[in-house]
Amino acid sequence: MNTSPVESFDGAGVIYTFGGNPEMLQAIFWLMCAVMVLVVLGSIVHEISVGRKHKKR
Amino acid sequence: MNEEAVQAAIDAALAGHTTINLEIYYWWCTALMICIHAGFLAYEMGASRSKNSLASGTKNILAFAFMIPTFFAFGWWIYLAGYSWPFGADGIDLKGAWDYEGAAGGVPWGESMGPNLQDQATGVFWAAFTLFAATTASVYSGAVIERIRLSAFIITAVLLGSVVWILGASWGWHPTGWMVVEWGYRDVAAAGVVHTIAGFFALGVLIPLGPRIGKYNVDGSANDLRGHNMPLTLTGLMLIIVGFFGFLGACLIYDPAGNWVNIYGIPSNLSAFVFNTLMGFAGGIIGAYFLTRDPFWMMSGGLGGIFSVAAGIDLFYPPLAFLLGFIGGIIIPVGAKMLEKMGIDDAVGAVAVHGFCGVWGLLAVGIFCAGYPGAEGIPAISFMGQLKGAGVMILLGFVPGLVMALILRILGILRVRNEVELLGLDVAEIPSIAYPEFGGEGEMIPEYDEPRRREPPRRPPPRRDDRRPPPPRRDDRRPPPRPRNAGDRPQGGPGRRPAPPPAQSDDSVTRVRPPSNDSTRVRPPSTDPKNRRP
């Protein structure tokens, strides 16, 4: 799989991975956002479960 | 002055400024990299139990100190001479494959290895590489704390920092290194040559070294031997992150034409570096938080996130760097737990943080940057090239660490005696203690405070005839007559307490510790009766 947008360094500007495929870049960006949302949701669930445990005590 | 002369003067001035900028840049990168060692010092001391904290710190300081002269003596030469070793023109050639001519400037008595007004580059490059070397030793040192002998640590650290990693750097972190030329191996910010090698070197030493006493129970289950100061450890980890900005900055080359290129001579810039450094760092912290919620692993995850993106730090799309760091942050606690189950006691998770994340970073470049071109004559990045390169880095770290540790174990100088380990390495090896207020030999208690803490001396119960007389009648409440002379002074008139008895040498009142010869002790209170407490 060739993921590089650059074939030579002449005039190479945007050099990051998948630079030639904007849809792929957007997909990676939204995946990053989804991961952060997932982590925050997981944190909320964790805090609620910990709170319940302490309440039972 | 004609136009050509003016232009020549301008060009000369610009060239001079470029050279000076290069010197200034690497000078401050080197200075910033010292934060890595300040961080490792705090990190490892905090991760040790209090009985071993100074020994861990001493080990770290000595690793730094020994790396500098040994890297001067042979480390820099190995980098310049070993890029094709052991492959000579006719196959394996262990002696002839070194580039003796090309490395002439790197011999310790060469003209460039010292003050030289004609060479403004060698010194600062040597310094940056020396700090890289010291970093590898610090990476390794955390894994073996609390039971390795100081002498054994120094020997292994010098082997790692001034021989093993720099040979790997010459192979894969040099524009003409054989791994670069043959496989298109790409490792821009040293995920493989520093972190993978140091992590697997630590693993090689850990196997013969064995776990700390008390780490494993008889049934094989592991105990969590927590360090004595988690806040110090976390602060140290953050300092390491600060230092890594110097480390990563020194992975770029400011060439004489004033352009930025990476270590392979490929155009790059600091902006690319900083995007992915920060995104990988954040991803690593969040990944470890997601899995463990433990601040120790979160900060380790931040480091691991940077190493996960280091090999392709100037190529990744930043959100991709975040995701790679996130995966790295998950790999670390999982990898550390796996090693623990295998009976390998890595006290700080160095193998997982540096070794596993370094390998992950190398493979990520092969997966996500395949096809990216190399400099002239260098193959493009490929997954197979990265995979083979990762294998070489693993073996290059693991095998020398294992062999050297086995030799030291056979000689009986690898590990401290069990009694010393139980007592604490600080008491045995260090002429000082970390927390004297909380006990330990040599504790200093100021004697000055001693009398104050004592309860007041009890008076003997008065005899019946000594009891206080009844209160006087109203007409008796007048001051006693003033004595005419000292001999007439009343000894206790009506309405007054009896005068205190003359001073006696009552030991229960004035007893103090015998004076010590130790000049640091506070003088005991005076024995002069005038100064005694009633």
Side-chain angles (χ1 to χ4, degrees), chain A residues 2 9 18-19 21 26 32 39 42:
Chain A
N2 188 345
F9 301 121
F18 299 111
N21 188 345
Q26 287 175 12
M32 178 185 78
V39 171

Side-chain angles (χ1 to χ4, degrees), chain A residues 1-4 6 16-17 43, chain B residues 289 315 317 322 368 370 372-373:
Chain A
M1 180 175 66
N2 188 345
T3 58
S4 170
V6 179
Y16 47 71
T17 321
S43 184
Chain B
Y289 169 73
L315 298 176
Y317 174 49
F322 176 91
F368 296 106
Y372 192 81

Side-chain angles (χ1 to χ4, degrees), chain B residues 180 193 197-198 211 216 234 242 255 264 284 288 294 386-388 391 435 447 456 460 521 533:
Chain B
V180 179
V193 300
I197 287 180
Y216 291 99
L234 297 181
V242 174
D255 75 8
Y264 304 107
D294 183 334
Q386 294 300 109
L387 183 64
K388 287 187 282 188
Y435 303 102
E447 293 179 3
R521 294 201 172 205
R533 291 165 188 272

Side-chain angles (χ1 to χ4, degrees), chain B residues 79 129 132 165-166 168-177 180 185 187-191 193-194 247 250-251 263-264 393:
Chain B
Y79 179 70
F129 272 74
F132 294 146
W165 96 271
I166 195 64
S170 191
W171 291 354
W173 213 42
H174 187 290
T176 55
V180 179
Y185 175 78
D187 184 12
V188 172
V193 300
V194 168
F247 183 105
C251 295
I263 197 89
Y264 304 107
M393 293 299 160

Side-chain angles (χ1 to χ4, degrees), chain B residues 51-52 149 213 415-428:
Chain B
K51 64 180 181 177
N52 299 318
R149 283 188 191 223
I213 294 173
R415 185 172 175 138
V416 297
R417 295 170 64 89
N418 287 352
E419 303 83 44
V420 171
E421 191 178 338
L422 290 170
L423 184 65
L425 273 66
D426 284 8
V427 174

Side-chain angles (χ1 to χ4, degrees), chain B residues 67-137:
Chain B
M67 216 50 59
I68 296 168
T70 55
F71 202 80
F72 181 88
F74 43 84
W76 186 237
W77 185 87
I78 290 173
Y79 179 70
L80 297 177
Y83 55 85
S84 63
W85 190 86
F87 305 109
D90 303 321
I92 301 272
D93 183 359
L94 296 179
K95 194 175 177 187
W98 299 100
D99 182 5
Y100 293 100
E101 284 184 22
V107 294
W109 42 86
E111 288 184 355
S112 293
M113 295 301 283
N116 184 339
L117 294 179
Q118 303 302 318
D119 185 349
Q120 289 177 273
T122 300
V124 288
F125 280 127
W126 169 81
F129 272 74
T130 303
L131 268 289
F132 294 146
T135 300
T136 61

Side-chain angles (χ1 to χ4, degrees), chain A residues 1-9 12 15-18 24-29 31-33 35-36 38-40 42-44 46-47, chain B residues 186 266-268 272 279 286-287 289-290 293 314-320 322-323 326 365-376:
Chain A
M1 180 175 66
N2 188 345
T3 58
S4 170
V6 179
E7 293 178 356
S8 78
F9 301 121
I15 55 173
Y16 47 71
T17 321
F18 299 111
M24 182 66 91
L25 293 185
Q26 287 175 12
I28 293 171
F29 172 79
L31 183 58
M32 178 185 78
C33 297
V35 165
M36 283 193 287
L38 177 72
V39 171
V40 173
S43 184
I44 291 169
H46 173 75
E47 285 156 8
Chain B
R186 206 67 52 89
I266 297 170
S268 189
M279 292 295 256
I286 293 173
Y289 169 73
F290 178 66
R293 304 181 195 286
D314 56 346
L315 298 176
F316 293 127
Y317 174 49
L320 179 63
F322 176 91
L323 295 172
F326 184 85
V365 171
I367 296 167
F368 296 106
C369 303
Y372 192 81
E376 196 173 346

